[in-house]
Short mmCIF file of all heavy atoms in Angstrom, two decimals:
data_model
loop_
_atom_site.label_atom_id
_atom_site.label_comp_id
_atom_site.label_asym_id
_atom_site.label_seq_id
_atom_site.Cartn_x
_atom_site.Cartn_y
_atom_site.Cartn_z
N ILE A 122 8.05 -7.83 16.14
CA ILE A 122 6.76 -7.21 16.33
C ILE A 122 6.32 -7.21 17.75
O ILE A 122 5.75 -6.28 18.28
CB ILE A 122 5.88 -7.86 15.40
CG1 ILE A 122 6.08 -7.42 13.98
CG2 ILE A 122 4.36 -7.64 15.74
CD1 ILE A 122 5.20 -8.06 13.01
N ALA A 123 6.61 -8.35 18.45
CA ALA A 123 6.23 -8.42 19.79
C ALA A 123 6.90 -7.39 20.67
O ALA A 123 6.39 -6.80 21.55
CB ALA A 123 6.56 -9.76 20.39
N ALA A 124 8.28 -7.14 20.37
CA ALA A 124 8.91 -6.00 21.16
C ALA A 124 8.37 -4.74 20.82
O ALA A 124 8.25 -3.87 21.68
CB ALA A 124 10.44 -6.10 20.79
N LEU A 125 7.98 -4.45 19.56
CA LEU A 125 7.50 -3.18 19.14
C LEU A 125 6.20 -3.00 19.81
O LEU A 125 5.93 -1.82 20.33
CB LEU A 125 7.37 -3.24 17.54
CG LEU A 125 6.85 -1.96 16.90
CD1 LEU A 125 7.40 -1.94 15.45
CD2 LEU A 125 5.25 -1.95 16.73
N ARG A 126 5.38 -3.94 19.82
CA ARG A 126 4.01 -3.78 20.45
C ARG A 126 4.13 -3.31 22.06
O ARG A 126 3.42 -2.76 22.59
CB ARG A 126 3.17 -5.01 20.36
CG ARG A 126 2.68 -5.37 18.98
CD ARG A 126 1.82 -6.57 18.96
NE ARG A 126 1.26 -6.88 17.72
CZ ARG A 126 0.19 -6.47 17.12
NH1 ARG A 126 -0.56 -5.58 17.89
NH2 ARG A 126 -0.24 -6.84 15.92
N GLU A 127 5.28 -4.01 22.52
CA GLU A 127 5.35 -3.84 23.98
C GLU A 127 5.95 -2.51 24.36
O GLU A 127 5.54 -1.88 25.42
CB GLU A 127 6.25 -4.98 24.58
CG GLU A 127 6.54 -4.88 26.04
CD GLU A 127 7.53 -6.01 26.40
OE1 GLU A 127 7.77 -6.98 25.72
OE2 GLU A 127 8.14 -5.81 27.58
N ARG A 128 6.79 -1.90 23.55
CA ARG A 128 7.62 -0.65 23.94
C ARG A 128 7.35 0.58 23.21
O ARG A 128 7.63 1.74 23.70
CB ARG A 128 9.13 -1.03 23.86
CG ARG A 128 9.49 -2.26 24.60
CD ARG A 128 10.87 -2.66 24.34
NE ARG A 128 11.22 -3.90 25.19
CZ ARG A 128 12.39 -4.44 25.04
NH1 ARG A 128 13.35 -4.02 24.33
NH2 ARG A 128 12.69 -5.69 25.66
N VAL A 129 6.79 0.44 21.94
CA VAL A 129 6.63 1.62 21.14
C VAL A 129 5.09 2.15 21.28
O VAL A 129 4.30 1.44 21.35
CB VAL A 129 7.00 1.26 19.61
CG1 VAL A 129 6.66 2.47 18.70
CG2 VAL A 129 8.42 0.94 19.55
N GLU A 130 5.02 3.51 21.17
CA GLU A 130 3.80 4.16 21.21
C GLU A 130 2.93 3.61 20.01
O GLU A 130 3.39 3.74 18.87
CB GLU A 130 3.85 5.69 21.13
CG GLU A 130 2.60 6.37 21.36
CD GLU A 130 2.76 7.73 21.56
OE1 GLU A 130 3.89 8.43 21.69
OE2 GLU A 130 1.74 8.61 21.19
N PRO A 131 1.73 3.15 20.16
CA PRO A 131 0.92 2.56 19.02
C PRO A 131 0.77 3.45 17.87
O PRO A 131 0.78 2.88 16.89
CB PRO A 131 -0.45 2.39 19.73
CG PRO A 131 -0.18 1.96 21.23
CD PRO A 131 1.06 3.00 21.58
N ARG A 132 0.61 4.77 17.95
CA ARG A 132 0.47 5.48 16.74
C ARG A 132 1.67 5.59 15.90
O ARG A 132 1.64 5.81 14.73
CB ARG A 132 0.00 6.88 17.07
CG ARG A 132 0.97 7.77 17.75
CD ARG A 132 0.39 8.94 18.25
NE ARG A 132 1.30 10.00 18.94
CZ ARG A 132 1.69 11.01 18.28
NH1 ARG A 132 1.17 11.33 17.01
NH2 ARG A 132 2.62 11.87 18.66
N TYR A 133 2.83 5.09 16.39
CA TYR A 133 4.11 4.98 15.61
C TYR A 133 4.40 3.58 15.19
O TYR A 133 5.50 3.51 14.63
CB TYR A 133 5.26 5.56 16.45
CG TYR A 133 5.15 7.14 16.61
CD1 TYR A 133 5.19 7.69 17.79
CD2 TYR A 133 5.02 7.99 15.48
CE1 TYR A 133 5.14 9.07 18.01
CE2 TYR A 133 4.97 9.35 15.77
CZ TYR A 133 5.03 9.88 17.03
OH TYR A 133 4.85 11.19 17.20
N TRP A 134 3.71 2.60 15.54
CA TRP A 134 3.89 1.22 15.15
C TRP A 134 4.37 1.12 13.70
O TRP A 134 5.19 0.39 13.29
CB TRP A 134 2.81 0.39 15.55
CG TRP A 134 2.85 -0.02 16.99
CD1 TRP A 134 3.51 0.49 18.04
CD2 TRP A 134 1.74 -0.75 17.73
NE1 TRP A 134 3.20 -0.07 19.23
CE2 TRP A 134 2.09 -0.80 19.14
CE3 TRP A 134 0.60 -1.43 17.30
CZ2 TRP A 134 1.26 -1.42 20.05
CZ3 TRP A 134 -0.14 -2.18 18.32
CH2 TRP A 134 0.18 -2.12 19.65
N GLN A 135 3.41 1.57 12.84
CA GLN A 135 3.63 1.39 11.34
C GLN A 135 4.92 1.89 10.89
O GLN A 135 5.75 1.30 10.17
CB GLN A 135 2.48 1.96 10.53
CG GLN A 135 1.13 1.53 10.96
CD GLN A 135 0.91 -0.02 10.65
OE1 GLN A 135 0.53 -0.74 11.71
NE2 GLN A 135 1.32 -0.47 9.65
N VAL A 136 5.20 3.16 11.27
CA VAL A 136 6.47 3.77 10.90
C VAL A 136 7.78 3.02 11.38
O VAL A 136 8.73 2.76 10.65
CB VAL A 136 6.54 5.23 11.21
CG1 VAL A 136 7.71 5.99 10.75
CG2 VAL A 136 5.25 5.97 10.66
N VAL A 137 7.66 2.77 12.70
CA VAL A 137 8.90 2.06 13.24
C VAL A 137 8.91 0.64 12.64
O VAL A 137 10.14 0.13 12.47
CB VAL A 137 8.70 1.89 14.82
CG1 VAL A 137 9.80 1.12 15.35
CG2 VAL A 137 8.64 3.33 15.35
N LEU A 138 7.85 -0.11 12.30
CA LEU A 138 7.85 -1.36 11.61
C LEU A 138 8.62 -1.23 10.36
O LEU A 138 9.55 -2.02 9.96
CB LEU A 138 6.54 -1.97 11.53
CG LEU A 138 6.41 -3.31 10.72
CD1 LEU A 138 7.07 -4.39 11.29
CD2 LEU A 138 4.98 -3.61 10.38
N LYS A 139 8.24 -0.20 9.44
CA LYS A 139 8.97 0.07 8.20
C LYS A 139 10.48 0.24 8.52
O LYS A 139 11.23 -0.22 7.66
CB LYS A 139 8.27 1.19 7.49
CG LYS A 139 6.87 0.79 7.04
CD LYS A 139 6.84 -0.28 6.10
CE LYS A 139 7.38 -0.09 4.77
NZ LYS A 139 6.71 0.79 3.83
N ARG A 140 10.81 0.97 9.49
CA ARG A 140 12.24 1.16 9.70
C ARG A 140 12.88 -0.13 10.02
O ARG A 140 14.09 -0.47 9.53
CB ARG A 140 12.37 2.08 10.98
CG ARG A 140 12.49 3.62 10.59
CD ARG A 140 13.40 4.17 11.73
NE ARG A 140 13.54 5.64 11.50
CZ ARG A 140 14.37 6.40 12.15
NH1 ARG A 140 15.03 5.83 13.09
NH2 ARG A 140 14.52 7.70 11.94
N LEU A 141 12.28 -0.95 10.86
CA LEU A 141 12.87 -2.28 11.21
C LEU A 141 13.06 -3.09 9.88
O LEU A 141 14.02 -3.82 9.61
CB LEU A 141 12.06 -3.04 12.16
CG LEU A 141 11.98 -2.38 13.52
CD1 LEU A 141 11.04 -3.23 14.49
CD2 LEU A 141 13.42 -2.20 14.20
N MET A 142 12.21 -2.95 9.00
CA MET A 142 12.13 -3.74 7.76
C MET A 142 13.26 -3.22 6.78
O MET A 142 14.00 -3.95 6.22
CB MET A 142 10.75 -3.59 6.99
CG MET A 142 9.67 -4.40 7.59
SD MET A 142 8.17 -4.31 6.70
CE MET A 142 7.13 -5.56 7.43
N TYR A 143 13.38 -1.83 6.79
CA TYR A 143 14.57 -1.36 6.02
C TYR A 143 15.83 -1.76 6.58
O TYR A 143 16.82 -2.09 5.86
CB TYR A 143 14.48 0.16 6.08
CG TYR A 143 13.68 0.86 5.04
CD1 TYR A 143 12.47 0.22 4.66
CD2 TYR A 143 14.01 2.04 4.51
CE1 TYR A 143 11.72 0.87 3.60
CE2 TYR A 143 13.17 2.73 3.51
CZ TYR A 143 12.00 2.09 3.06
OH TYR A 143 11.36 2.74 2.18
N ARG A 144 16.04 -1.80 7.97
CA ARG A 144 17.40 -2.22 8.53
C ARG A 144 17.55 -3.77 8.15
O ARG A 144 18.67 -4.12 7.79
CB ARG A 144 17.23 -2.10 9.96
CG ARG A 144 17.20 -0.68 10.54
CD ARG A 144 17.55 -0.46 11.95
NE ARG A 144 17.22 0.97 12.28
CZ ARG A 144 18.06 1.99 12.08
NH1 ARG A 144 19.21 1.79 11.40
NH2 ARG A 144 17.63 3.22 12.53
N ALA A 145 16.56 -4.50 8.29
CA ALA A 145 16.67 -6.00 7.96
C ALA A 145 17.06 -6.18 6.40
O ALA A 145 18.01 -6.98 6.06
CB ALA A 145 15.43 -6.85 8.27
N ALA A 146 16.43 -5.34 5.62
CA ALA A 146 16.59 -5.50 4.23
C ALA A 146 18.06 -4.99 3.83
O ALA A 146 18.82 -5.67 2.91
CB ALA A 146 15.57 -4.68 3.37
N SER A 147 18.49 -4.01 4.50
CA SER A 147 19.90 -3.48 4.27
C SER A 147 21.03 -4.60 4.65
O SER A 147 21.94 -4.78 3.93
CB SER A 147 20.12 -2.26 5.20
OG SER A 147 19.38 -1.32 4.71
N ASP A 148 20.59 -5.38 5.83
CA ASP A 148 21.47 -6.43 6.27
C ASP A 148 21.61 -7.47 5.10
O ASP A 148 22.70 -8.03 4.83
CB ASP A 148 21.01 -7.10 7.46
CG ASP A 148 21.96 -8.15 7.97
OD1 ASP A 148 21.80 -9.29 7.75
OD2 ASP A 148 22.92 -7.78 8.70
N ILE A 149 20.47 -7.92 4.57
CA ILE A 149 20.44 -8.92 3.45
C ILE A 149 21.03 -8.44 2.22
O ILE A 149 21.71 -9.18 1.58
CB ILE A 149 18.90 -9.36 3.30
CG1 ILE A 149 18.21 -9.93 4.61
CG2 ILE A 149 18.89 -10.45 2.13
CD1 ILE A 149 18.88 -11.15 5.11
N ALA A 150 20.81 -7.10 1.99
CA ALA A 150 21.42 -6.55 0.78
C ALA A 150 22.95 -6.64 0.90
O ALA A 150 23.60 -6.76 -0.22
CB ALA A 150 21.02 -5.08 0.57
N ARG A 151 23.53 -6.48 1.90
CA ARG A 151 24.98 -6.59 2.13
C ARG A 151 25.39 -8.08 1.76
O ARG A 151 26.39 -8.35 1.13
CB ARG A 151 25.44 -6.25 3.52
CG ARG A 151 25.40 -4.70 3.84
CD ARG A 151 26.19 -4.41 5.06
NE ARG A 151 25.31 -4.84 6.31
CZ ARG A 151 24.51 -4.19 6.78
NH1 ARG A 151 24.18 -2.98 6.35
NH2 ARG A 151 23.77 -4.56 7.91
N ARG A 152 24.56 -9.07 2.26
CA ARG A 152 25.03 -10.41 1.93
C ARG A 152 24.78 -10.68 0.36
O ARG A 152 25.54 -11.49 -0.13
CB ARG A 152 24.01 -11.38 2.69
CG ARG A 152 23.94 -11.11 4.08
CD ARG A 152 23.16 -12.25 4.82
NE ARG A 152 22.64 -11.76 6.12
CZ ARG A 152 22.01 -12.60 6.91
NH1 ARG A 152 21.53 -13.78 6.58
NH2 ARG A 152 21.45 -12.14 8.15
N THR A 153 23.76 -10.09 -0.21
CA THR A 153 23.60 -10.40 -1.68
C THR A 153 24.34 -9.50 -2.64
O THR A 153 24.22 -9.50 -3.85
CB THR A 153 22.12 -10.42 -2.02
OG1 THR A 153 21.61 -8.97 -1.76
CG2 THR A 153 21.39 -11.33 -1.18
N ARG A 154 25.08 -8.44 -1.99
CA ARG A 154 25.76 -7.41 -2.78
C ARG A 154 24.84 -6.64 -3.71
O ARG A 154 25.19 -6.31 -4.80
CB ARG A 154 26.95 -8.08 -3.56
CG ARG A 154 27.98 -8.69 -2.68
CD ARG A 154 29.04 -9.30 -3.64
NE ARG A 154 30.08 -9.99 -2.76
CZ ARG A 154 31.16 -10.65 -3.30
NH1 ARG A 154 31.33 -10.66 -4.53
NH2 ARG A 154 31.99 -11.15 -2.37
N ALA A 155 23.65 -6.37 -3.08
CA ALA A 155 22.78 -5.53 -3.88
C ALA A 155 22.93 -4.09 -3.73
O ALA A 155 23.38 -3.60 -2.54
CB ALA A 155 21.23 -5.86 -3.39
N HIS A 156 22.96 -3.29 -4.70
CA HIS A 156 23.22 -1.78 -4.71
C HIS A 156 22.11 -1.02 -4.20
O HIS A 156 22.33 0.10 -3.77
CB HIS A 156 23.64 -1.34 -6.04
CG HIS A 156 24.79 -2.08 -6.72
ND1 HIS A 156 26.07 -2.14 -6.18
CD2 HIS A 156 24.87 -3.04 -7.75
CE1 HIS A 156 26.88 -2.92 -6.89
NE2 HIS A 156 26.14 -3.41 -7.81
N ALA A 157 20.88 -1.61 -4.35
CA ALA A 157 19.60 -0.71 -3.95
C ALA A 157 18.54 -1.57 -3.33
O ALA A 157 18.60 -2.88 -3.54
CB ALA A 157 19.13 -0.03 -5.15
N LEU A 158 17.60 -1.02 -2.58
CA LEU A 158 16.50 -1.69 -2.11
C LEU A 158 15.37 -1.25 -2.98
O LEU A 158 15.30 -0.06 -3.46
CB LEU A 158 16.15 -1.30 -0.60
CG LEU A 158 17.33 -1.53 0.36
CD1 LEU A 158 16.83 -1.16 1.79
CD2 LEU A 158 17.73 -3.01 0.33
N VAL A 159 14.29 -2.12 -3.16
CA VAL A 159 13.29 -1.74 -4.00
C VAL A 159 11.94 -1.93 -3.08
O VAL A 159 11.78 -3.11 -2.48
CB VAL A 159 13.11 -2.68 -5.27
CG1 VAL A 159 11.86 -2.31 -5.98
CG2 VAL A 159 14.25 -2.50 -6.04
N THR A 160 10.95 -0.97 -3.07
CA THR A 160 9.81 -1.02 -2.31
C THR A 160 8.55 -0.73 -3.04
O THR A 160 8.80 -0.03 -4.17
CB THR A 160 9.72 -0.21 -1.04
OG1 THR A 160 9.49 1.18 -1.43
CG2 THR A 160 11.20 -0.15 -0.30
N GLY A 161 7.44 -1.05 -2.79
CA GLY A 161 6.21 -0.84 -3.40
C GLY A 161 5.49 0.47 -2.91
O GLY A 161 4.31 0.60 -3.07
N GLU A 162 6.13 1.42 -2.27
CA GLU A 162 5.58 2.47 -1.63
C GLU A 162 5.12 3.51 -2.66
O GLU A 162 5.76 3.77 -3.67
CB GLU A 162 6.58 3.24 -0.67
CG GLU A 162 6.79 2.34 0.55
CD GLU A 162 8.20 2.74 1.30
OE1 GLU A 162 9.11 3.16 0.52
OE2 GLU A 162 8.34 2.49 2.43
N ALA A 163 3.99 3.97 -2.42
CA ALA A 163 3.31 5.01 -3.23
C ALA A 163 2.73 6.25 -2.36
O ALA A 163 2.23 5.86 -1.30
CB ALA A 163 2.20 4.47 -4.08
N ILE A 164 2.89 7.50 -2.68
CA ILE A 164 2.59 8.57 -1.92
C ILE A 164 1.12 8.49 -1.52
O ILE A 164 0.26 8.40 -2.27
CB ILE A 164 2.85 9.96 -2.62
CG1 ILE A 164 4.34 10.15 -2.87
CG2 ILE A 164 2.32 11.12 -1.81
CD1 ILE A 164 4.58 11.34 -3.56
N GLY A 165 0.89 8.50 -0.20
CA GLY A 165 -0.54 8.60 0.36
C GLY A 165 -1.41 7.34 0.28
O GLY A 165 -2.46 7.38 0.64
N GLN A 166 -0.75 6.19 -0.23
CA GLN A 166 -1.55 4.99 -0.36
C GLN A 166 -2.00 4.52 1.04
O GLN A 166 -3.01 4.04 1.17
CB GLN A 166 -0.87 4.06 -1.18
CG GLN A 166 -1.76 2.84 -1.65
CD GLN A 166 -1.09 2.00 -2.64
OE1 GLN A 166 -0.88 0.84 -2.35
NE2 GLN A 166 -0.72 2.58 -3.76
N VAL A 167 -1.06 4.42 2.03
CA VAL A 167 -1.36 4.20 3.35
C VAL A 167 -0.71 5.11 4.23
O VAL A 167 0.07 5.94 3.89
CB VAL A 167 -0.94 2.66 3.74
CG1 VAL A 167 -1.70 1.60 2.95
CG2 VAL A 167 0.62 2.56 3.53
N SER A 168 -1.11 5.06 5.50
CA SER A 168 -0.57 6.05 6.43
C SER A 168 0.89 6.24 6.60
O SER A 168 1.43 7.37 6.78
CB SER A 168 -1.12 5.76 7.86
OG SER A 168 -0.67 4.51 8.36
N SER A 169 1.65 5.21 6.45
CA SER A 169 3.04 5.28 6.62
C SER A 169 3.81 5.81 5.35
O SER A 169 4.98 6.14 5.38
CB SER A 169 3.58 3.89 6.92
OG SER A 169 3.45 3.06 5.79
#
C-alpha cells in the first residue's frame, strides 16, 4: 500500500489495490491447491 500511494495515480488506487489482492490470492491458491477464488464483489456497490 505504501508503494501504491507513492507511485500510482490516486484515482486508480482502489482498482490497482484489488489487482494486487487478486495476485496475492492467486499465489496462496497455488499453495492450497484451490481451484477458484471467491470474492464478495457486487455490481455497483462500491467504485471498484
Side-chain angles (χ1 to χ4, degrees):
I122 285 180
L125 181 149
R126 288 180 181 276
E127 180 182 342
R128 300 174 188 176
V129 173
E130 188 176 336
R132 68 193 186 101
Y133 290 125
W134 282 358
Q135 302 301 129
V136 181
V137 175
L138 174 61
K139 291 301 290 288
R140 266 210 183 189
L141 296 179
M142 289 182 170
Y143 272 37
R144 295 194 189 283
S147 295
D148 181 272
I149 301 298
R151 286 191 290 273
R152 305 185 199 184
T153 62
R154 298 182 180 179
H156 303 294
L158 305 180
V159 182
T160 79
E162 292 159 328
I164 294 174
Q166 193 170 119
V167 295
S168 61
S169 65

